[in-house]
Amino acid sequence: MKGVVFIKFDEAQIVMESENEIISLEDISKRPDLSEVIKNLYCPDEKCDAKLTYNRRSVGAYLSKHKSYVHSSECQLYSEELKRQNDMTEYNELPGRVSDFGIKRRKRALSQMLRDLLSPPEKSESKPKKKKATPKKITDDSTVQKISTKVVYDSNGDVIKKDDERKVREPTFYKILPYQITSLDSWKNLATIALIKKVVVSETERPYAEIEGTFEGQDVLFVMPEAFFQNNLREINIEQLQGYLKDLKGYVEENPKNLYINTLCQSKGIDKNNLILYIPEPDFIGFSTSSNTNFSSLTNVAIAISTRKI
């Protein structure tokens, strides 16, 4: 059986009624009409009409050929599709949580993304690099299989640790800005940021809280359901969590437009006019001020508020 090389693209040809031009992967993600643009992307080779797929990943999106299309025989990438590779990792899926290190790493990446958006770094001049497609290794009858564990996020599961015999791939969280979220992101693990506008903390017996946020014109509601208060690795009790959120509520009321939430979360069905995301664990939340002070957890920001450090 012959394998097919999987090619990643860093640009595409966009074919729409209003435009027909080459667009970079970076510029695609910035488009306000992202949901429409990604339906109309094709191979950048002018001799080819193979459609491309916009794939989201935790470290950023990438472009690949749509599985229902093939490159034209005149396309420079046609021959690449026929190449074979000699190894691949096979993943066994298990339900589980994100490790403490994994959560911190993802929140640091969100803080850095926000910092770059609020204070864009100066671009240094550099020589243009020659673009090339990156083949992804696949399998055929002669390949060597490597077995690893892929963790599917489950807030009721345990943290699955790697050992000498087993490698572990932690749950994927797609880093994305609120206005970039589309129906393609329904029922996904996401990592995003927003300026906090309002905090609501339930006073009823069943704990519940909401954080209203916005970013670049897109409003988003972060919901902290009952499970958020009852199932956390640090065993912070419900009253403490409610107290921290009330401190946050008071701070936002007195200091609007100053505090951002950086959080891992989950989506259900996506409605851009009523964008709701769910935060299943307290440790998923981090915060950043508009002046670039970062707080790695709800506990830390509550302490800073109570001691008037911010």
Side-chain angles (χ1 to χ4, degrees):
M1 180 181 76
K2 288 188 176 181
V4 178
V5 170
F6 182 91
I7 304 294
K8 293 182 180 179
F9 298 80
D10 52 16
E11 62 182 11
Q13 182 173 344
I14 178 172
V15 181
M16 299 173 67
E17 289 185 5
S18 58
E19 57 187 309
N20 189 330
E21 60 185 9
I22 299 296
I23 183 171
S24 70
L25 176 59
E26 181 180 4
D27 288 339
I28 291 172
S29 65
K30 297 176 181 177
R31 291 285 295 247
D33 56 344
L34 179 64
S35 59
E36 186 63 28
V37 167
I38 60 179
K39 299 175 185 177
N40 297 279
L41 299 174
Y42 294 84
C43 177
D45 192 308
E46 60 181 10
K47 299 176 182 178
C48 185
D49 58 1
K51 196 167 187 177
L52 300 187
T53 299
Y54 183 81
N55 306 279
R56 297 201 194 282
R57 288 294 181 266
S58 60
V59 293
Y62 71 90
L63 294 164
S64 64
K65 182 179 66 63
H66 192 286
K67 62 182 180 181
S68 300
Y69 288 74
V70 294
H71 288 288
S72 164
S73 59
E74 297 180 340
C75 176
Q76 62 177 343
L77 295 176
Y78 176 73
S79 61
E80 291 291 335
E81 283 200 314
L82 306 179
K83 290 182 180 178
R84 299 167 68 185
Q85 301 293 332
N86 60 7
D87 78 325
M88 179 182 180
T89 299
E90 178 182 325
Y91 290 102
N92 292 327
E93 294 188 347
L94 286 177
R97 303 175 84 149
V98 188
S99 68
D100 186 53
F101 175 79
I103 293 173
K104 289 178 179 178
R105 176 173 60 81
R106 289 165 173 82
K107 288 195 293 187
R108 281 197 299 269
L110 284 172
S111 297
Q112 182 62 53
M113 180 171 70
L114 177 61
R115 187 158 51 246
D116 291 343
L117 289 167
L118 296 179
S119 303
E122 294 184 6
K123 293 185 178 180
S124 57
E125 293 186 6
S126 58
K127 295 181 180 180
K129 296 181 179 179
K130 184 178 180 181
K131 296 183 175 69
K132 63 178 182 179
T134 304
K136 179 182 178 181
K137 294 178 180 180
I138 55 82
T139 185
D140 60 27
D141 291 340
S142 63
T143 61
V144 176
Q145 295 288 326
K146 298 178 181 178
I147 308 298
S148 290
T149 296
K150 180 179 181 181
V151 181
V152 179
Y153 179 71
D154 181 352
S155 61
N156 293 313
D158 297 320
V159 174
I160 299 174
K161 298 180 180 180
K162 65 180 180 179
D163 52 39
D164 293 337
E165 298 181 356
R166 176 178 62 182
K167 292 184 179 180
V168 174
R169 178 180 174 185
E170 291 207 315
T172 298
F173 282 78
Y174 302 100
K175 190 169 64 175
I176 186 170
L177 296 172
Y179 65 84
Q180 297 173 326
I181 296 174
T182 72
S183 58
L184 296 175
D185 303 302
S186 298
W187 305 96
K188 297 282 183 66
N189 299 325
L190 306 178
T192 193
I193 59 180
L195 176 66
I196 301 175
K197 297 195 302 180
K198 183 179 179 181
V199 180
V200 176
V201 185
S202 170
E203 299 288 346
T204 62
E205 290 184 4
R206 297 184 63 181
Y208 176 89
E210 296 177 349
I211 293 178
E212 295 179 18
T214 188
F215 197 87
E216 295 292 333
Q218 176 64 59
D219 291 334
V220 55
L221 179 67
F222 296 100
V223 171
M224 283 144 283
E226 189 173 0
F228 172 94
F229 296 87
Q230 297 178 338
N231 187 19
N232 65 88
L233 291 174
R234 301 190 189 284
E235 299 183 350
I236 305 173
N237 65 48
I238 294 174
E239 290 73 19
Q240 278 182 301
L241 289 171
Q242 288 177 319
Y244 293 158
L245 288 164
K246 288 176 183 177
D247 289 343
L248 180 65
K249 177 178 183 292
Y251 178 83
V252 171
E253 290 173 351
E254 294 179 5
N255 302 273
K257 300 182 180 181
N258 186 55
L259 195 62
Y260 290 81
I261 182 173
N262 319 316
T263 188
L264 309 185
C265 51
Q266 294 182 302
S267 65
K268 293 185 179 180
I270 296 295
D271 179 356
K272 294 286 284 185
N273 296 317
N274 185 28
L275 182 57
I276 302 175
L277 301 175
Y278 298 83
I279 305 176
E281 298 185 40
D283 283 347
F284 278 10
I285 306 176
F287 300 89
S288 298
T289 66
S290 56
S291 59
N292 249 346
T293 301
N294 297 316
F295 301 95
S296 61
S297 68
L298 178 59
T299 302
N300 288 348
V301 79
I303 292 172
I305 291 169
S306 63
T307 57
R308 299 192 179 277
K309 294 289 181 65
I310 58 171

